[in-house]
């Protein structure tokens, strides 16, 4: 049984930082993509960043490029998303997904329940 769990969301002021973590269990694949997506109220869900377990290859959406970094925390067995210099436009529900293709949302089958991020003054 596959399960993805996200933690680390919260409320911060513009310019602040947050670190989200995604833990995975039940996946039988040896190599696969783990990605972060987000959805703001009234908007479509969009890709944020993705990491390929195996090669370490990463992909970033233009919205977070230079501000966000996705990485694997070996000690904690998680895939983390470090978000710096946050903007109000980054507000939304952030989801972890696994076993799809990079930042192509439609290719993912396994999803976490999400963690809320609020950026406001």
């Amino acid at each position: 049984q596959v399960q993805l769990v996200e933690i680390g969301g919260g409320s911060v002021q513009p310019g602040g930082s947050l670190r989200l973590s995604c833990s995975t269990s039940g996946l039988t694949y040896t190599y696969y993509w783990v990605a972060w997506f987000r959805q703001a109220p009234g908007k479509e869900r969009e890709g944020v960043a993705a990491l390929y377990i195996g090669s370490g290859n990463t992909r970033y959406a233009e919205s977070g490029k230079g501000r966000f970094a996705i990485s694997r925390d070996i000690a904690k067995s998680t895939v983390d998303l470090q978000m710096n210099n946050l903007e109000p436009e980054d507000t939304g529900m952030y989801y972890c997904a696994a076993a799809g293709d990079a930042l192509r949302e439609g290719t993912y089958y396994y999803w976490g329940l999400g963690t809320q991020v609020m950026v406001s003054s």
Side-chain angles (χ1 to χ4, degrees), residues 13-107:
Q13 294 183 334
S17 299
L18 283 173
R19 189 176 184 88
L20 309 182
S21 293
C22 173
S23 63
T24 65
S25 63
L27 288 169
T28 60
Y29 307 102
T30 302
Y31 306 108
Y32 53 92
W33 284 95
V34 175
W36 285 94
F37 295 84
R38 69 185 185 186
Q39 186 170 27
K43 293 186 177 181
E44 295 290 323
R45 187 159 56 191
E46 62 179 359
V48 178
L51 171 68
Y52 190 69
I53 303 299
S55 69
N57 190 27
T58 60
R59 300 278 181 84
Y60 293 94
E62 290 297 323
S63 60
K65 193 170 296 182
R67 300 185 298 124
F68 296 176
I70 189 169
S71 62
R72 182 184 184 185
D73 190 324
I74 298 177
K76 297 181 179 179
S77 298
T78 61
V79 174
D80 301 342
L81 180 68
Q82 178 67 45
M83 303 188 293
N84 298 324
N85 195 24
L86 286 162
E87 306 167 350
E89 292 75 19
D90 295 316
T91 294
M93 186 71 73
Y94 283 68
Y95 300 91
C96 179
D101 181 22
L103 290 174
R104 296 173 59 195
E105 178 187 359
T107 66

